[in-house]
Amino acid sequence: MAIVTTIRRDAVTLPAAELGPDNPLPPLRPLDEMHRIEDRDRDDLPRDMARQIGYEPLRSLLPARVRDGYGRGRASRELDALVIENDRLRATVLPGLGGRVASLFHKPTGRELLYRNPVFQPACFALNGAWFSGGIEWNIGATGHTALSCSPLHAARVTAPDGGEMLRLWEWERLRDLPFQVDLWLPEGSDFLYVGVRIRNPHDRPVPLYWWSNIAVPEECRVLAPAEEAYHFGYERRLRRVPMPSYDGVDRTYPANSVHPADYFYEVPDARRRWIAALGEDGDGLVQTSTDVLRGRKLFVWGTGTGGRRWQQWLTEPGTGGYCEIQAGLARTQLEHVRLEAESEVAWLEAYGPLRAECEGEWPGVVRAAEERLEACLPRERVEAAYAAWRPCADAEPGEVLAVGSGWGALEVLRSGDKLPGTPFEEATLGDAQGTWLELLRSGSFPEPRRVGPPGETLVAPHWRDMLETAPASPLTEYHLGVAQWHAGDRAQAVRSWERALPLAPSQWPLLRCLAVADQEAGHHERAADRYTEAFDDLCRERRDDGETWTAVTAALGREALDATLAVGRTRDARSVWHRLHPVTRERGRFRLTEARLLLAEGDREAARAVFDEGFEVADLREGAGAIDELWALITDEPLPAHYDFRMRPAP
């Protein structure tokens, strides 16, 4: 007798690092995103691809905050989980961490179908910083890992198309201002997890849209997809069309055959079924398929080089085995954004489950046999029928609430009056972060803070910017207005707003810091260093204690001030900033690296080398960053030690 599909609360216990506080400073510049190409490469691309690569790429993280407060110290912790299972599959979802499917376990074979990370270790891969590897993640927003990677989503029970239980996840994606939902269910007796996704644009203007479902699988596999060509992207920032499975004499569909990290975006012909599979040597593995709206398919490999292996160790525990990623997206490549028209929506269905097929042999025959096996296990017509059955359920109102996300969606719904059936953003979810903006919405005035502290988050969408422009011009209002104007590209007006606020502001450091960034962007680096120095002095006079908030803002502003003063050779000012950082901050790996840079700038090469010899770990090292190896090369001609080698591109 089949077991009825159930959803239950659970917990996952594993070694986990603390996320720590978000960076309190508004991100006026995006984190360096590696997935960009040279303009010259666009001439050789299909016209629609070239157009979509150039269509409104993300230029700011606002209104999101950078998440860089985590470290690398791990302790056993419980992570809230939701488990959906039938008699064939058990899916474990982490609603507090972007709705990640951490595990997909196939009961009849006793096999885990995904790469299940044995630890929770954030690293700087998301658009806004903190991200972790493993499982299935839902990437919405812009090129890269979603800003919701380590954020809570709303979750609730909903009636599934077959009358059973369905798990709904939903949230308001703030980078593009779009509500979305992910519905997961397991039909009775099914070997496949069904996932219905819907993204809505409630605005009266088109919006750039990005989505990639990212699936981590053990790297000892062969990755199959119905394509004879792919677009290869390496970390040299070049995109070129290559034959599949082999080019340069190497079969790239085996992850272990690549030396350097790389993306392979499969060119699936329009008439072919959309699917991708990762099969082990024994022919067993995972397959993902979807309705045709989810057009793209991709393989990401870390490669066998020193840098790729170091990243694998960095993201998990050494000796636990590596992983690669198979992915599915709305466009052919992740460098593209598609257009979601005003007051419209897009939706599709995905299915995840086990596949057993021969993976060794000539590519055309292996792919054809795997596709035939997939058709026997899960016919294409059944996927289309499941999608049609799910669509009416997408509007069904959720039942029991299982997890709560942010209050930003509730604020937007209150402002707009939009009705979003199926994804309620309840007023009860509003919190302190939304409180000041709710007051602006209701009274037309931005409230003054009740106590001294860093300014709260800034909303930057046009409707909020309009409200700030008509609100009474207090220093805090001008500060937030300037941030919103900067986001809109009106940098001159942003500077004027910040300068207007400066004479009357009780706290000058937030405004001085914004003006320092503006100076840097305009090429006035000496003036930027002056303003950063003045801002840090003002902050040190104002900070009230050594609590989490003041420590976080001192570290964030101190880091930027150190970079700005060192960039113009003002080592005395940099050393002054260094001495006033909290001792716990100076011990963090990021600041140990800065200390070595400062010592070198002061002419003490031996002391700078000693920092490396003593050892440090830069917890928030950015994907593709060269800060460590570049500084090492300035200190010594010796080879870079392996534990500092995170290089993701071939040597020039």
Side-chain angles (χ1 to χ4, degrees), residues 325-398:
E325 294 169 355
I326 57 175
Q327 304 188 24
L330 287 172
R332 280 183 286 188
T333 75
Q334 288 176 325
L335 287 72
E336 302 169 69
H337 296 85
V338 300
R339 181 184 175 101
L340 184 58
E341 298 296 341
E343 299 177 345
S344 68
E345 65 180 46
V346 63
W348 63 90
L349 185 95
E350 304 180 45
Y352 297 81
L355 184 70
R356 182 176 180 81
E358 179 59 53
C359 62
E360 301 293 335
E362 294 297 318
W363 180 252
V366 166
V367 170
R368 184 171 57 253
E371 189 163 7
E372 290 172 354
R373 181 60 185 153
L374 171 60
E375 186 66 19
C377 297
L378 184 66
R380 190 175 187 178
E381 289 183 358
R382 189 183 300 168
V383 175
E384 298 289 346
Y387 172 72
W390 166 71
R391 283 299 276 132
C393 299
D395 283 343
E397 289 305 309

Side-chain angles (χ1 to χ4, degrees), residues 3-8 83-86 91 157 165 186:
I3 298 175
V4 176
T5 300
T6 61
I7 299 173
R8 57 183 169 84
V83 176
I84 176 170
E85 66 180 316
N86 62 7
R157 297 180 197 269
E165 289 193 321
L186 286 167

Side-chain angles (χ1 to χ4, degrees), residues 460-523:
V460 296
H463 40 267
W464 293 107
R465 188 172 71 248
D466 291 345
M467 281 184 250
L468 289 167
E469 287 175 345
T470 57
S474 70
L476 187 58
T477 302
E478 295 280 18
Y479 163 81
H480 285 294
L481 176 58
V483 174
Q485 290 165 333
W486 181 273
H487 174 266
D490 192 350
R491 295 189 170 186
Q493 190 58 55
V495 168
R496 284 192 286 271
S497 295
W498 293 326
E499 288 178 339
R500 275 198 308 268
L502 203 54
L504 299 176
S507 295
Q508 293 193 328
W509 64 264
L511 296 158
L512 288 167
R513 181 263 176 177
C514 289
L515 289 167
V517 173
D519 284 335
Q520 285 180 321
E521 292 295 293

